[in-house]
Amino acid sequence: MSTETNTDTEPSAESSTGPLPPVAPEVLAEAVENLTGRLRKKLDAAIEGCAAGAARADDGSVTVRFGEDALVTLRPGPAGTVTAAEQAVCTCLLAPRCLHRAAVLGAAPLADPDRPPHPDADADADAASASASASASVSVSVPDGRAESQAGVGAVGPSSAGRVGSGAGPGSSPDGPEPAAEVLTAARLRAAAALWQAAAEALAAGVTAGGAVVQAELLRAAHTARLAGLPRAEAAALRVVRGLRAARERSGAHRLGDLTGAFRELLHIAGLLASGTAGPALTGTVRRDYRPGGSLRVYGMCREPVLSATGYGGVVTHLLAPDGARHSVSDVRPGGLARARGAGSASVALGGAALDHAGLARGGLRIAGATVSADGRLGAGRGVQATPLRGIPWTEEPAAALFGRPAAEAVAAQLADRDTDPDGAAPALLGCEVTVVGAAGEDLLVREVRADAPLLRLRAAHPHPELPHTANLRRIAAHPGLVLRVLGRPDLDRAATLRPLAVGPVPGAEYTLRLPEEWLGRADLGYDLLQGSHFPPGTAAAPAAPAAEGPDLLADSPLWRVRRLLESGVAGGRRAVAEAARAAEPVTAYRPLRRAGFTAAAELAAALAAEADRRPRDPFGRLKDPSPDGYARAWLAASTHLAAAERYLVAASWS
């Protein structure tokens, strides 16, 4: 196996767009650990305003002044990152154990120099997708009385040494039994236990009290996990820290649901590791490893713009092999929106192929000496040679197979595989033939062309107004009754929602799209702008009205009560959950859940509220802080059950 650099320059999950350079997590953790208790209480206030007062010198160093006697200087290395303690110095008498130095390091963005994340989706979307893979299986009560009886999560944690849930979880395979558990070394067990403890304390603190000190404890535990060879655990901890930072800074990129999912993933991974055994998926690498792929033929399906909140932009072109295997070629670099828009016609840096991404999306490649990652990414090593091929329309195999399977079956398969995906990859593309119903705000309502099909909601894959996704959906919505083929990515966190990337005409249909011949029967919604001439003249028979749309199985279910309880705990910490438990009688609060058949959800929510409000006393009757361990396990059990129940409802909404 060889680890190969991808063709694109991949962004860190938190890139520095301001004057302060990225800082390695362990450097920040050490600086906070060296502070006295009195200085730690002042750290959050000292961090505010540090970035605004930073000044960059001609030699690349960055300085921040605190009064007349303290000047903090950061001197990043060749990669532009502060990776060693000696690269951050302060002129005050207490240095290096001073508040000034720790504050500047705390204000800088976190670096992730060792492992580049996936560049083919927005950083927030990646976090949300990865967090879903942490959901372990539990007993799921469903409205019709059926249940999935699987291993519970409440027992997962450091206290459950030697036990791992036997249900579907990370590392299991849909085509066979779960891989054999791996016995962990003593160093890994200690690292996992420390990470669990830090995560439990951070969860109990919540965003409100999850300041720099709490984050530093997580960063130290994450660094220990990396040294012990647990990169997935470290990556999960860094996602939580970045989420806490974004929430406390009130960043526009913050999503409370994403942070809730990040906590679920971290606690799940740390708990299973600390239990004594874990599958290979939790102890393996998160780097993109490229394996020899021999000779390949691939055909372009569509291209997708990439626009990251961290200032990166580019394109991903999705490809399909004759055997149905899915591949992709990406080109993501700093540049934001301008880069995302221009990359759609940029040259493909793969084996000297004389193609741009626009040509590849409607063409093909014959590749010799190919290297392929586990998620289908094509590498560009020195031995790779590529020759352009004629593209195929969606009506020919293997593309036609994408539209031959009912969307409900494809989504159900993806939901079943979601927990077993160790890399948290984005949902796979699926195709379906639909009839346009009409607009629903910025979304488009369609109905799949099959008997008893439900209404589907097409939502812009990238809602940025400078990208044509939303404009194209509006033009399509103005033609109710239009039939078309849609290729997109299902939104597995919403009921019956598809994020379309490309559309094309339906073969043999009269009222369908009329695209230019050079477009090869499809339009990339992120790059091609549909015009009036692309639509048929006249009108079609009026389809079913949007009013016929049934209830949203996910949004209208009483599970929102559990979701609100979990998210209030992430936002306000254990105290917020305890206050919610005192505000209403648990039996009354969760009665709608029991009436709807979600008995297990009601019991887990009530248990979480009771644990949050547990107030132990010492032998003298004085209140003392309870251990966060029991609260973290109760929160994880409720959160994991909620994720499993919501997956069931999402799958049902497509049927």
Side-chain angles (χ1 to χ4, degrees), residues 244-527:
L244 287 172
R245 282 187 164 201
R248 291 179 63 84
E249 295 169 359
R250 303 182 185 276
S251 167
H254 166 63
R255 299 290 184 273
L256 186 57
D258 293 345
L259 182 55
T260 302
F263 264 112
R264 180 175 66 244
E265 178 192 25
L266 174 59
L267 289 169
H268 171 71
I269 292 176
L272 282 182
L273 290 171
S275 67
T277 57
L282 294 185
T283 56
T285 178
V286 298
R287 289 191 64 90
R288 181 177 294 119
D289 293 326
Y290 287 82
R291 297 175 180 271
S295 297
L296 285 178
R297 279 188 299 138
V298 292
Y299 300 98
M301 294 292 103
C302 66
R303 53 192 164 141
E304 175 185 7
V306 176
L307 184 60
S308 168
T310 56
Y312 283 76
V315 64
V316 172
T317 298
H318 299 277
L319 310 167
L320 199 62
D323 60 356
R326 306 185 185 199
H327 301 281
S328 63
V329 173
S330 64
D331 180 8
V332 180
R333 305 177 190 276
L337 177 63
R339 181 74 177 82
R341 296 175 66 180
S345 56
S347 298
V348 176
L350 184 66
L355 273 180
D356 57 19
H357 281 272
L360 179 58
R362 295 181 173 93
L365 287 175
R366 178 182 287 109
I367 307 174
T371 56
V372 186
S373 71
D375 60 355
R377 189 71 51 95
L378 296 179
R382 294 182 179 178
V384 177
Q385 296 181 349
T387 304
L389 295 176
R390 179 189 68 86
I392 59 171
W394 284 356
T395 54
E396 295 182 12
E397 296 294 346
L402 293 175
F403 302 91
R405 185 182 189 186
E409 291 184 10
V411 172
Q414 293 195 34
L415 287 167
D417 293 345
R418 190 169 184 177
D419 285 342
T420 67
D421 182 6
D423 293 324
L429 300 185
L430 65 84
C432 56
E433 295 184 357
V434 300
T435 301
V436 174
V437 175
E442 295 294 326
D443 299 339
L444 174 64
L445 293 181
V446 300
R447 192 183 299 277
E448 194 174 359
V449 183
R450 61 180 175 87
D452 301 323
L455 282 179
L456 305 181
R457 185 177 295 266
L458 302 189
R459 177 163 294 181
H462 298 277
H464 196 287
E466 296 297 324
L467 294 175
H469 289 278
T470 302
N472 281 326
L473 291 183
R474 287 174 182 167
R475 288 183 176 271
I476 296 173
H479 296 78
L482 184 75
V483 291
L484 67 158
R485 283 185 162 184
V486 178
L487 183 65
R489 185 177 288 114
D491 190 334
L492 301 182
D493 296 320
R494 291 181 172 85
T497 301
L498 181 69
R499 298 197 178 261
L501 300 179
V503 295
V506 173
E510 180 178 354
Y511 196 68
T512 189
L513 292 174
R514 299 182 176 182
L515 301 178
E517 184 177 350
E518 60 270 18
W519 284 16
L520 204 61
R522 65 259 202 177
D524 294 330
L525 295 179
Y527 290 103

Side-chain angles (χ1 to χ4, degrees), residues 544-568:
E549 183 180 11
D552 188 323
L553 293 181
L554 187 60
D556 296 340
S557 76
L559 288 173
W560 64 266
R561 300 173 185 272
V562 182
R563 189 184 310 111
R564 185 173 66 179
L565 181 68
L566 294 169
E567 292 183 352
S568 66

Side-chain angles (χ1 to χ4, degrees), residues 4-45:
E4 181 177 328
T5 304
N6 198 12
T7 59
D8 53 308
T9 302
E10 298 178 327
S12 168
E14 186 176 351
S15 299
S16 176
T17 56
L20 290 176
V23 172
E26 62 271 18
V27 175
L28 172 58
E30 182 182 9
V32 175
E33 185 180 28
N34 289 336
L35 295 179
T36 64
R38 180 179 62 86
L39 292 179
R40 289 188 181 190
K41 296 178 181 179
K42 301 180 179 181
L43 181 57
D44 288 326

